[in-house]
Amino acid sequence: MDNPMLDFLESEELLRFFHCNKTEMSLMENPQTFLRQLRDYDLIPDDRYKKVSRMKSKERIKKGLYEILDRFECERPQHIHRFWRCVFKDTIMNQYPTLRLLRNSLMDGTFHFDKQLPEMVETKETDEKKRKVVSEDEEDEEEEEEEEKRGKSVKKRKQRNKSTNDEEQPGPSSHSTPGQKKKFKKICFYSPLKKGEKSDIWNWKLFKAQMPVTCGDIEAILSRDRLAKGEKCILFQKSWFTPTEFEKRAGKGSSKNWKTSIRCKGTTLGKLIQEGHLKSGSYKRRHKMVKRSLFPSAGCVMESDEEDEEEDEDLDGESSTSDTDEEEDKEQAEPQTEVGHDRSTTVFKVTCRDLVGTLHKKRFASGNRGKCIRTETSWMSPVEFVNAASDESDPPWKREIQWEGKPLNDLIENKILRIHSLLCVCDLCDPNTEDEENQKNDDECYICRSQEETQLVVCDDCPRSFHQRCHLPHLEDAILNDKRRWMCTFCVFKANQPYRYCNQLEMREALSLQMSQHLLECQYVLLYLWNADEEKIFASDPRGYLTDYSTVIQTPMWLGHIANKLQENNYQTVEQFVSDVQLIFSNCARYNRDNAEFLAKGDRLKKIFDGKLKNVFNIS
């Protein structure tokens, strides 16, 4: 997984980090895979790779690897970002613990605690002599290899190497010959902190634009500018989140106060905002639309104005509100107590007789306008929802639709839901043809629930929408402009289920089925499971945000990895697929043995998987 900090670090900082750690990298055991990775990314010449690969002595391999790294620093510094992205791949770090430690030090900024090295300037003449000595050393190595082929004694070779080392400094970047002199600038060691500056990392120059943050066990990067503008400001796994979304992603959504749950080096963001280290813009409690806009436009006319902004809650138990603020809080709390629900809620579970659905506040306009109630099969307006549940003509929808045992009218009277004026011309009240089509499908991806501003592919037989790479199988770009009807995997499976598995199977029989004939069922089960994982705890590689995960779990597994294996047809039987899914739950139980909350979430998802697997394959 890519380190998001690389996106913010300057080339000069990465080069300095490289310079300070190339000796450590040169001492890695069995560096053949490391060298192959560098060659595959065109970061080192093929001849240098072959030369070091032919070496037998461990000491010579280490010296040769150092030479390669040193030459890269001198000749190809413009590719330093590419170098670190190349070696910070999970497959490489799993083989070389040194690289994982370096990646972690970049993430938490600990390498900046070291004092900077004295700057050194060498004359052009010294550079030429230095290169000459390096080339002579290379000639000596070639002569050495020829002697080895001719059967010279090991003892003679070792004596020759010893005499060479006595005359030369270790490492190709510091070769010198008698009579050589180097010109130095005045040696000056200095700290990355200016005089009088605090040692807190949010005062460092490195973190002027961004800073590392944590919420629970998840680590991410906070953009200061985006936070000040009230935009999605937290970068986690290549996606941007608002503080509230990131709080929910970390499993802390119940606190509903990101200023205390999100921290930088143990200090809450709220405290940093109070002390003036950070500036925070206004964050709305509403979702940003993907692909299309169904929100009331600027010209929308409503019965009253509303802007549900997040309240700036007091931090660390301290109260700084005035008596007037307390009175206002009480006034706001009264209707909430009466209705029994938080004003920040945007989705309400509603019923009308036997019909069940979810009402989405951002889509609500009135009884006939705005398809705001989502059922399993479609989006409906409140009147359409009531008509589908009863045979009455023109039933009173405000009374017939129930929420938590109360009529929907209670939410309207308490101004939690607001009916748009008859003069309103927003996209919900006065939609064009495209707006009407957009209201038929979800506004977010059914699988990842992401708010990324990317195009969604909508199913023509159900209300679901998907990102191209979230759906299984993946969807090609050509389908975006294809006017023909398209059915998602859920609908295809539902249409074919009556004709498959007429007879019950034993579990052993189902697991032995060939994947080539039953790919659809496994794709359906995985997508269903991914959607059921509401907090997306099991969707991505846990090693990306749990630093000690590899020390506890030897074989990590996650839903995204299984999806890729299904996409690439890596499974031969259904049993292999089931085994990988079960591995997710066994890893969860082992890693969270002392964490009852996450154990319960793993058990819940496991029960869903076991039940769905039996249902899909008709297992007795």
Side-chain angles (χ1 to χ4, degrees):
M1 186 187 75
D2 288 341
N3 186 347
M5 182 66 80
L6 294 178
D7 296 328
F8 297 102
L9 291 173
E10 300 292 337
S11 296
E12 181 181 350
E13 293 167 326
L14 290 177
L15 278 171
R16 166 164 166 68
F17 186 67
F18 179 93
H19 181 81
C20 293
N21 292 286
K22 60 186 178 183
T23 299
E24 282 190 58
M25 289 188 285
S26 70
L27 297 178
M28 295 187 301
E29 295 293 330
N30 302 318
Q32 288 78 10
T33 303
F34 175 74
L35 286 171
R36 283 196 295 270
Q37 180 80 340
L38 296 181
R39 182 195 61 176
D40 293 345
Y41 276 74
D42 297 324
L43 293 171
I44 61 174
D46 196 58
D47 58 337
R48 298 297 302 172
Y49 163 78
K50 290 180 179 179
K51 180 176 179 180
V52 176
S53 299
R54 288 196 298 266
M55 294 179 179
K56 303 299 182 183
S57 167
K58 289 186 177 181
E59 290 302 318
R60 291 186 59 205
I61 291 175
K62 292 175 182 178
K63 186 177 179 181
L65 178 54
Y66 184 92
E67 276 188 20
I68 287 178
L69 296 175
D70 193 63
R71 287 198 171 196
F72 174 83
E73 181 183 12
C74 297
E75 299 173 3
R76 311 193 71 183
Q78 70 274 21
H79 298 302
I80 189 64
H81 274 88
R82 188 178 186 184
F83 174 87
W84 288 117
R85 291 188 189 282
C86 158
V87 302
F88 283 164
K89 299 290 185 182
D90 282 335
T91 51
I92 304 300
M93 290 191 295
N94 288 342
Q95 187 165 343
Y96 300 105
T98 298
L99 295 178
R100 185 170 292 280
L101 292 175
L102 293 180
R103 197 281 300 267
N104 292 342
S105 69
L106 263 184
M107 174 64 78
D108 57 26
T110 53
F111 73 95
H112 266 264
F113 290 120
D114 299 331
K115 292 183 178 181
Q116 296 194 14
L117 299 176
E119 297 183 6
M120 180 175 65
V121 177
E122 300 179 8
T123 63
K124 183 177 180 181
E125 180 182 358
T126 305
D127 286 339
E128 292 175 353
K129 291 181 178 180
K130 178 177 169 182
R131 285 195 294 270
K132 182 178 179 182
V133 174
V134 173
S135 62
E136 289 175 356
D137 183 62
E138 291 175 354
E139 291 176 2
D140 289 342
E141 289 180 359
E142 291 176 359
E143 291 175 4
E144 233 177 80
E145 292 176 2
E146 292 176 1
E147 289 177 0
E148 186 177 355
K149 291 178 181 179
R150 289 196 293 268
K152 294 289 183 82
S153 68
V154 176
K155 180 178 179 181
K156 181 177 180 180
R157 257 198 335 271
K158 287 184 178 179
Q159 289 175 345
R160 187 173 183 277
N161 285 338
K162 182 177 179 181
S163 63
T164 303
N165 290 335
D166 290 340
E167 295 173 2
E168 300 175 351
Q169 297 293 328
S173 62
S174 58
H175 284 300
S176 62
T177 55
Q180 278 185 327
K181 294 183 179 180
K182 298 179 179 180
K183 295 182 180 180
F184 294 90
K185 285 185 178 181
K186 183 179 179 181
I187 297 177
C188 176
F189 291 93
Y190 60 93
S191 167
L193 304 176
K194 296 180 180 179
K195 185 177 181 181
E197 196 173 23
K198 295 181 180 180
S199 61
D200 299 323
I201 69 169
W202 44 83
N203 293 319
W204 293 3
K205 182 179 178 181
L206 169 65
F207 299 115
K208 183 178 181 180
Q210 79 293 319
M211 57 200 297
V213 293
T214 59
C215 185
D217 295 327
I218 295 182
E219 300 176 351
I221 302 298
L222 170 73
S223 170
R224 289 174 178 255
D225 290 339
R226 283 172 172 258
L227 176 66
K229 294 176 182 177
E231 300 174 351
K232 296 187 177 186
C233 59
I234 298 179
L235 181 63
F236 175 68
Q237 293 184 348
K238 299 182 181 180
S239 298
W240 287 98
F241 297 85
T242 64
T244 302
E245 290 171 348
F246 180 65
E247 183 184 44
K248 292 179 180 177
R249 179 66 180 80
K252 302 290 184 179
S254 58
S255 70
K256 296 183 180 179
N257 189 0
W258 57 267
K259 293 181 181 179
T260 57
S261 60
I262 301 178
R263 298 170 176 264
C264 177
K265 291 297 182 182
T267 303
T268 63
L269 295 191
K271 186 175 182 180
L272 296 180
I273 293 171
Q274 278 187 335
E275 295 177 354
H277 299 297
L278 289 176
K279 293 182 180 180
S280 175
S282 175
Y283 282 90
K284 316 286 185 182
R285 285 193 182 275
R286 63 186 185 186
H287 298 289
K288 192 172 184 181
M289 299 300 296
V290 179
K291 183 182 176 184
R292 44 190 168 265
S293 176
L294 297 177
F295 293 124
S297 62
C300 173
V301 180
M302 306 183 77
E303 293 185 346
S304 60
D305 297 330
E306 177 186 21
E307 199 74 88
D308 290 338
E309 296 185 2
E310 290 185 359
E311 298 176 4
D312 293 333
E313 302 181 28
D314 294 331
L315 306 165
D316 302 328
E318 299 179 4
S319 175
S320 60
T321 58
S322 62
D323 294 338
T324 304
D325 293 335
E326 291 177 0
E327 291 175 1
E328 292 177 354
D329 290 341
K330 290 179 180 178
E331 291 175 0
Q332 292 179 0
E334 288 176 0
Q336 292 176 11
T337 304
E338 182 180 342
V339 179
H341 208 281
D342 192 343
R343 284 181 177 272
S344 64
T345 302
T346 59
V347 179
F348 305 88
K349 292 184 178 180
V350 295
T351 60
C352 183
R353 302 188 183 182
D354 294 332
L355 191 59
V356 179
T358 53
L359 187 149
H360 294 248
K361 180 179 177 180
K362 62 184 178 182
R363 282 187 172 218
F364 178 78
S366 68
N368 288 298
R369 292 173 293 169
K371 294 183 181 295
C372 60
I373 300 180
R374 210 271 201 187
T375 67
E376 280 296 316
T377 57
S378 64
W379 281 91
M380 303 178 180
S381 68
V383 170
E384 291 171 338
F385 184 67
V386 174
N387 288 337
S390 66
D391 297 329
E392 298 180 24
S393 59
D394 195 21
W397 61 271
K398 294 181 183 178
R399 186 177 69 246
E400 290 291 327
I401 299 177
Q402 299 283 311
W403 163 76
E404 293 190 355
K406 302 184 181 74
L408 197 65
N409 194 48
D410 281 14
L411 294 177
I412 298 172
E413 288 180 351
N414 287 281
K415 298 182 179 181
I416 294 177
L417 292 179
R418 297 181 182 270
I419 297 179
H420 292 204
S421 166
L422 293 175
L423 302 178
C424 180
V425 292
C426 71
D427 293 338
L428 293 172
C429 297
D430 188 22
N432 56 31
T433 303
E434 183 179 358
D435 293 332
E436 290 177 347
E437 287 298 316
N438 287 340
Q439 289 190 42
K440 294 179 181 179
N441 290 86
D442 298 338
D443 306 316
E444 62 184 6
C445 177
Y446 185 73
I447 302 304
C448 70
R449 302 296 184 188
S450 171
Q451 302 296 315
E452 293 179 0
E453 295 186 20
T454 54
Q455 286 187 314
L456 295 171
V457 181
V458 298
C459 179
D460 290 311
D461 277 41
C462 75
R464 299 180 182 90
S465 301
F466 303 89
H467 289 131
Q468 291 174 255
R469 293 296 175 265
C470 289
H471 186 269
L472 286 175
H474 293 342
L475 305 174
E476 301 298 329
D477 292 338
I479 200 172
L480 295 176
N481 299 316
D482 195 334
K483 301 300 181 183
R484 292 174 297 179
R485 291 183 62 82
W486 175 76
M487 294 173 61
C488 68
T489 292
F490 289 90
C491 294
V492 173
F493 173 78
K494 183 178 179 181
N496 286 275
Q497 189 176 21
Y499 310 105
R500 307 167 78 95
Y501 312 113
C502 297
N503 300 320
Q504 284 192 332
L505 299 177
E506 296 290 336
M507 179 64 76
R508 176 177 50 80
E509 294 178 285
L511 295 180
S512 64
L513 295 174
Q514 293 298 306
M515 180 60 74
S516 59
Q517 302 298 318
H518 303 277
L519 182 60
L520 173 64
E521 290 90 326
C522 294
Q523 290 173 336
Y524 169 79
V525 170
L526 186 68
L527 291 178
Y528 187 93
L529 195 65
W530 203 327
N531 172 262
D533 180 18
E534 296 176 356
E535 297 180 17
K536 307 308 170 193
I537 297 172
F538 305 97
S540 56
D541 188 351
R543 293 172 297 182
Y545 51 90
L546 299 174
T547 54
D548 64 334
Y549 195 82
S550 296
T551 62
V552 180
I553 302 300
Q554 302 302 318
T555 311
M557 187 57 62
W558 58 98
L559 297 177
H561 188 46
I562 297 175
N564 289 336
K565 294 177 75 172
L566 281 174
Q567 178 66 24
E568 296 170 4
N569 297 316
N570 289 341
Y571 294 117
Q572 301 300 316
T573 64
V574 173
E575 183 177 15
Q576 293 175 347
F577 163 74
V578 172
S579 177
D580 273 356
V581 177
Q582 296 288 7
L583 182 59
I584 293 178
F585 304 130
S586 61
N587 286 347
C588 174
R590 182 177 180 183
Y591 183 80
N592 297 293
R593 62 182 64 181
D594 298 324
N595 191 330
E597 178 184 358
F598 281 89
L599 273 177
K601 292 177 180 179
D603 289 342
R604 169 187 165 274
L605 208 64
K606 183 179 185 301
K607 290 178 181 178
I608 292 175
F609 172 73
D610 291 341
K612 184 56 64 174
L613 184 70
K614 290 182 178 180
N615 175 265
V616 167
F617 288 97
N618 196 16
I619 298 174
S620 57

